Amino acid sequence: MQHTSKMNLICNKKWRWVALKSFGKELNPVQKSLSDALFFRNDGTFEKEMYGQLKFKGKWAFNTDSSKLDMAITEMNGQALAGMALGESHPTDSIMRLTKDTLIIAKLAYFGPKNIYGHDDWYYVKEK
C-alpha cells in the first residue's frame, strides 16, 4: 500500500485500543477505562490519551516503506518532555493491518529467557 493511501487511512480519526494479543498468548479485550486512544494528524503530530487522564503529544512518521511507525512523545499533560527525537531511533512498531476502521500495531521485542524475537499485537478500532 502506498504511503499516501496509508496516510489517508490512519490520519484524522481517533483510534481506540480494544484488545491485546501478547506474544504466544490468546487475544484479550481491554477495558475501555484502561484503554488508550490515538489521534494521528497529517502534519506528523499525534495525541495519545491514557486512562482518560494522561494526555500526551508527540511526533510520528512512517518508515521509508510505510510498514512501521516511529513515534516520539514530546509533551505530557502540557509539560514538555525531554527524550529521543523522532528519527533518532529505529521504528519498531510494525503495522500488521490498516483499514478504514481497524489498526493493528505489532510491538516487536525479545521475549523470555531464551530471547525469542516476536511481537505483542495491539488492536485499535476507529472510534465513532
Side-chain angles (χ1 to χ4, degrees):
M1 184 179 293
Q2 294 180 354
H3 178 77
T4 303
S5 298
K6 283 193 176 181
M7 287 286 285
N8 291 336
L9 288 172
I10 203 170
C11 289
N12 302 319
K13 54 186 81 162
K14 190 174 194 178
W15 296 98
R16 174 67 59 187
W17 183 37
V18 294
L20 173 66
K21 183 182 181 303
S22 295
F23 178 71
K25 298 187 179 170
E26 297 294 318
L27 182 70
N28 287 307
V30 175
Q31 293 178 357
K32 188 170 181 178
S33 63
L34 300 176
S35 74
D36 63 347
L38 291 168
F39 188 87
F40 297 95
R41 290 191 175 80
N42 290 32
D43 67 359
T45 62
F46 76 93
E47 292 180 15
K48 180 176 183 173
E49 179 183 292
M50 293 177 65
Y51 315 118
Q53 297 175 359
L54 298 173
K55 298 190 187 312
F56 299 90
K57 290 184 179 181
K59 296 181 181 198
W60 77 278
F62 289 121
N63 67 336
T64 54
D65 70 359
S66 302
S67 64
K68 294 184 181 193
L69 291 171
D70 189 5
M71 298 172 70
I73 294 174
T74 58
E75 184 179 307
M76 182 177 83
N77 291 338
Q79 300 295 314
L81 294 175
M84 194 173 293
L86 189 65
E88 288 183 6
S89 66
H90 297 290
T92 58
D93 294 347
S94 293
I95 299 170
M96 297 293 292
R97 181 181 175 120
L98 178 57
T99 67
K100 65 179 184 162
D101 56 7
T102 304
L103 171 62
I104 303 173
I105 299 173
K107 298 191 181 260
L108 304 170
Y110 289 98
F111 295 88
K114 294 184 180 179
N115 282 328
I116 298 168
Y117 191 66
H119 52 86
D120 290 339
D121 297 337
W122 292 50
Y123 289 69
Y124 291 84
V125 295
K126 182 180 88 170
E127 195 165 77
K128 297 177 182 182

